[in-house]
Amino acid sequence: MKIIDAHAHLWLRQDAEVNGMKIQTLEGGKSLFMGELRQMIPPFIIDGRNTAEIFLSNMDYAQVSAAVITQEYIDGLQNDYLWEVQRRYPNRFLCCGMVDARQPGYLQHAEALIKQGFDGIKIPAERLIMPDRRVRLTCDEMMQMFRLMENNDVFLSVDLAAGDVQVAEMKEVIAECPRLRIAIGHFGMVTRPEWQEQIKLARHPNVMIESGGITWLFNDEFYPFAGAVWAIKEAASLVGIEKLMWGSDYPRTITAITYRMSYDFVFKSKLLNEAEKTLFLGENARKFYRFKELIELPYIKNMSE
């Protein structure tokens, strides 16, 4: 089994603003996060640099062959660093570019990212619903960007607001751009009401669901996240296991668990058979993101074994 992480993050430094509130890297893995002090990454990353090399070490240890690097406004735009990562490690990472769709004029930026060579663009759509205004996924500039992406075979990575708040908009996008490959993150915001409505979007042939953040959403029950496995089973009953992909939401999730634990609860579950695990943990992502030449990684025993 070759494992692919469909939702992870990298940055050199957080320096961002969401709804007028700052997010900034501090020391010891901590960040100022919208008025609060948060443990953003593990405390042993003392300089706050969430680098590709640290992640590769985690991936090698956990036997994860490749990862899709997505983005979020709370981290700031990381396009320059992620393009460097993409060029340096083309067989291990597939990096998404990101535009700031909270302000008009992002279509030109998207054009530049596509011309540069990014294979995917991320839209943290839940951040487009702001206290004083809302940018709709169906507005003119957004739809122009989606058509541009469709015509250039650039996939869309998108995280939607909880529930069905943006589902109708996504249905319109899917209808207008039936060849646009779409990966919906955070497993539809599972654990929130009406999460199944996001999952049902994967009934369209060009749409997939990835589970980045699922261990965060089920954090209250903790490992082995039995509720998360049952949610995967429910989602599979709605759209088929071939429409679902594993994602870790690294590194934020590994402040509570190890990176390996972020998929090990699926690997060890008796509720899924081997074929389902193979599809969910890697094969579906390999096909959707078109990974080639995935490496095989040996299992290395811990000193405690």
Side-chain angles (χ1 to χ4, degrees):
M1 184 187 301
K2 292 181 179 177
I3 300 173
I4 297 172
D5 187 343
H7 187 126
H9 299 272
L10 296 174
W11 62 77
L12 292 181
R13 182 174 179 83
Q14 291 177 309
D15 186 8
E17 185 175 300
V18 172
N19 296 333
M21 292 178 281
K22 295 287 187 181
I23 300 95
Q24 291 181 322
T25 294
L26 303 176
E27 296 180 345
K30 294 182 287 292
S31 289
L32 173 65
F33 182 76
M34 302 173 74
E36 295 183 291
L37 181 66
R38 292 287 188 91
Q39 193 70 46
M40 186 66 62
I41 54 179
F44 52 77
I45 306 179
I46 58 175
D47 61 1
R49 288 166 59 91
N50 170 36
T51 66
E53 288 73 25
I54 293 175
F55 190 23
L56 278 172
S57 183
N58 274 282
M59 289 168 64
D60 289 350
Y61 168 72
Q63 297 175 278
V64 174
S65 296
V68 178
I69 306 302
T70 183
Q71 296 199 54
E72 228 277 22
Y73 292 147
I74 64 172
D75 302 326
L77 271 66
Q78 302 290 331
N79 296 318
D80 291 345
Y81 177 56
L82 294 189
W83 183 246
E84 177 187 336
V85 169
Q86 183 71 78
R87 295 184 64 184
R88 189 180 301 172
Y89 307 107
N91 294 327
R92 302 300 301 277
F93 295 122
L94 177 58
C95 297
C96 295
M98 185 169 70
V99 300
D100 192 346
R102 296 170 296 181
Q103 301 293 336
Y106 52 86
L107 175 60
Q108 186 175 4
H109 189 195
E111 291 174 339
L113 292 175
I114 292 170
K115 185 176 181 181
Q116 187 174 355
F118 279 100
D119 291 319
I121 290 179
K122 173 63 180 285
I123 299 293
E126 78 278 20
R127 306 290 183 193
L128 302 182
I129 302 174
M130 294 163 277
D132 58 339
R133 58 196 170 88
R134 174 173 176 172
V135 178
R136 294 191 176 272
L137 295 169
T138 52
C139 71
D140 289 344
E141 187 170 14
M142 193 76 74
M143 292 302 297
Q144 288 182 61
M145 182 178 70
F146 292 149
R147 293 188 187 101
L148 177 69
M149 292 168 62
E150 180 184 40
N151 291 335
N152 286 273
D153 196 21
V154 171
F155 68 84
L156 169 66
S157 172
V158 62
D159 300 332
L160 301 178
D164 61 355
V165 175
Q166 293 172 308
V167 167
E169 293 174 30
M170 281 304 307
K171 287 180 178 178
E172 188 171 335
V173 171
I174 293 165
E176 288 289 323
C177 303
R179 294 179 292 106
L180 175 63
R181 289 180 292 142
I182 301 172
I184 296 173
H186 295 163
F187 216 67
M189 288 300 290
V190 62
T191 71
R192 307 296 193 259
E194 307 297 329
W195 67 276
Q196 296 93 339
E197 297 307 306
Q198 293 190 35
I199 302 298
K200 291 175 186 176
L201 292 170
R203 290 174 175 173
H204 296 274
N206 57 321
V207 180
M208 299 286 285
I209 305 293
E210 45 95 339
S211 74
I214 197 168
T215 60
W216 149 58
L217 290 159
F218 282 94
N219 182 67
D220 287 348
E221 70 173 41
F222 205 65
Y223 190 89
F225 304 108
V229 180
W230 281 112
I232 293 166
K233 292 280 288 183
E234 182 175 353
S237 74
L238 294 172
V239 298
I241 192 68
E242 70 278 359
K243 302 292 286 185
L244 310 176
M245 305 182 292
W246 169 68
S248 70
D249 211 4
Y250 174 98
R252 283 179 268 270
T253 49
I254 65 165
T255 57
I257 58 175
T258 68
Y259 182 53
R260 191 181 193 97
M261 288 167 71
S262 65
Y263 77 81
D264 198 49
F265 74 96
V266 173
F267 189 77
K268 291 180 178 176
S269 174
K270 299 185 184 303
L271 295 175
L272 299 168
N273 61 42
E274 292 305 306
E276 291 171 326
K277 293 174 185 178
T278 297
L279 292 172
F280 181 73
L281 291 175
E283 184 60 18
N284 293 337
R286 184 191 65 79
K287 291 179 180 178
F288 179 78
Y289 294 110
R290 301 171 184 170
F291 279 102
K292 299 177 181 178
E293 300 178 9
L294 292 171
I295 67 168
E296 291 188 25
L297 294 161
Y299 179 74
I300 300 174
K301 290 179 67 175
N302 291 324
M303 283 297 294
S304 58
E305 290 182 77

